[in-house]
Amino acid sequence: MIGGARRPREDGPEPVPPSHQGCAIDSVRVHLPAQCAGPRAELRDRHEDGHHLHHLVWRLGSGVRVCSSAVLGGGIGPRAWILNAQVPGGYPRLDPDRHLAEIAAAEGLTGPGAGLMTAAEVAAYTTGHDGGVTATVTTGLGVRGWAAAPETTAPETAAPEFAADKTVTPETAAPETEDPATRIRTQPRPGTVNIVVGLPVALSDAALVNAVATATEAKVQALLDAGLDCSGTPTDAVCIAAPEPGPDGGEPFAGPRSPWGARIARAVHTAVLAGARPARDLS
């Protein structure tokens, strides 16, 4: 699953050599999202395989740890960069980690990093800020649902969000007499909520894990506050970036009632709510 994690090497995953699939990646910076503290993100514009796409890049440098469920560089460890890349619906590749490494290499990113993917429009990212914490969110809710759902007999695909807007098959195609505008409206839209949180203070291992849970709780609260009947999508991912701890081990808590956890929750809630409201209007 695209939102799932892979176990990193102890020193973090190195970018994978290019597989030479598809066209060359050509990207340019669009602008810097305004952020109040922590690592800054760049919105980048790229043309790849005939598609005009965007991605966000955080150039963290040294001394930053990331706890994430990212498909590339997931887990806890030092990371020099974070990448949140848009891919087209009907994503054909079966090696998203290698693809993310190719995009990272085109950006000149080196060392261990964390990479996320989404079929949602990355340029429509939203942000939330609270007390030095910044949350940057890309929101796609076309494949949303509840986490605790009945078991299905059909196997779950590796990337349900990316297959969401594939060309319909003859078995699922609408009758020719159907209004084309109606058929377009009823086609599923991409889904994935990717959350990247930057903090100015170090967190312990336990607090990093707690921060992921807090961000997820805040996401669900925002979705409900937006009037959506879901807890997220099957491929949501979270990255928490914070300085490496010193001898004191870092902040011990990041639950929603701790000082830094509360800031994480409010920042994430603000960003997700801003991104979820348009999805509600399209429902």
Side-chain angles (χ1 to χ4, degrees):
M1 181 184 298
I2 290 299
R6 292 169 179 255
R7 184 178 180 85
R9 294 167 22 186
E10 290 185 0
D11 59 347
E14 292 292 339
V16 185
S19 64
H20 304 293
Q21 297 188 35
C23 300
I25 298 169
D26 178 25
S27 76
V28 297
R29 188 172 76 186
V30 179
H31 62 84
L32 291 167
Q35 299 204 4
C36 63
R40 291 171 61 86
E42 301 174 28
L43 178 64
R44 305 284 290 188
D45 180 291
R46 81 182 190 276
H47 294 271
E48 181 183 341
D49 237 0
H51 298 282
H52 181 205
L53 304 166
H54 294 92
H55 53 273
L56 287 166
V57 179
W58 288 258
R59 301 176 193 272
L60 307 177
S62 60
V64 177
R65 287 202 310 168
V66 172
C67 177
S68 85
S69 59
V71 66
L72 174 67
I76 298 178
R79 302 289 183 265
W81 49 269
I82 299 172
L83 175 68
N84 184 12
Q86 179 187 356
V87 295
Y91 183 65
R93 293 182 59 163
L94 301 178
D95 57 347
D97 53 344
R98 182 178 291 271
H99 187 190
L100 284 163
E102 291 170 359
I103 299 171
E107 286 289 351
L109 303 174
T110 59
L116 308 90
M117 276 187 173
T118 180
E121 175 51 72
V122 166
Y125 69 89
T126 52
T127 58
H129 312 284
D130 194 286
V133 174
T134 296
T136 305
V137 175
T138 54
T139 307
L141 290 162
V143 195
R144 62 182 181 265
W146 295 102
E151 184 175 359
T152 61
T153 55
E156 184 174 311
T157 61
E161 54 141 348
F162 306 137
D165 60 353
K166 280 184 178 178
T167 303
V168 292
T169 63
E171 292 77 16
T172 60
E176 290 298 322
T177 56
E178 184 181 342
D179 179 0
T182 301
R183 185 164 62 247
I184 292 172
R185 284 198 303 271
T186 56
Q187 286 181 348
R189 294 181 300 279
T192 277
V193 179
N194 282 342
I195 299 171
V196 177
V197 177
L199 291 95
V201 299
L203 301 178
S204 68
D205 285 359
L208 277 172
V209 176
N210 207 173
V212 171
T214 295
T216 303
E217 289 182 39
K219 174 198 72 175
V220 176
Q221 181 182 345
L223 295 176
L224 296 178
D225 287 347
L228 296 169
D229 57 343
C230 65
S231 57
T233 86
T235 53
D236 292 353
V238 181
C239 282
I240 307 292
E244 291 185 343
D248 64 352
E251 294 288 328
F253 306 112
R257 294 286 73 85
S258 68
W260 287 103
R263 293 163 186 157
I264 292 170
R266 289 190 292 265
V268 170
H269 182 272
T270 296
V272 175
L273 185 60
R277 280 173 171 159
R280 176 198 59 192
D281 295 339
L282 289 172
S283 298

